Amino acid sequence: MDQLDVSGSFDVHEYRHGLKLLKDDRGTMTLSNRKGFACPACGNEFETLFISEKRTNTFGDPGSPFCLVRTDDQLLVLTH
């Protein structure tokens, strides 16, 4: 299982073949994991990836376990 590379910064375009865009707003993006990539935080397969370049974010209850990963300029939230 391939793991997302988050060293330095995360480039979603490197993984677009296995991620499906669900939502794209100003400064945020939500994608589903179609290929079964591994979470860079825990190593398990994740379901949804939320990427934010915003300084602040508010989240509701994701309804499942999640991991947080911080790159140089992004916050990644991975739900399992």
Side-chain angles (χ1 to χ4, degrees):
M1 178 179 338
D2 293 335
Q3 191 168 23
L4 302 181
D5 179 13
V6 294
S7 56
S9 184
F10 175 70
D11 184 3
V12 70
H13 301 292
E14 290 182 23
Y15 299 94
R16 67 176 177 238
H17 63 280
L19 298 171
K20 180 180 178 182
L21 181 64
L22 300 175
K23 188 174 181 181
D24 189 3
D25 290 334
R26 179 176 282 165
T28 66
M29 187 181 299
T30 306
L31 306 110
S32 67
N33 185 5
R34 295 187 311 177
K35 189 175 180 197
F37 291 118
C39 174
C42 70
N44 295 325
E45 184 177 334
F46 64 92
E47 293 178 16
T48 306
L49 170 62
F50 174 80
I51 304 169
S52 178
E53 295 176 352
K54 294 181 178 181
R55 185 167 183 83
T56 61
N57 296 279
T58 303
F59 304 101
D61 180 4
S64 62
F66 63 93
C67 292
L68 300 173
V69 176
R70 182 80 184 141
T71 67
D72 290 343
D73 55 355
Q74 300 162 315
L75 172 68
L76 282 60
V77 180
L78 304 100
T79 59
H80 296 275

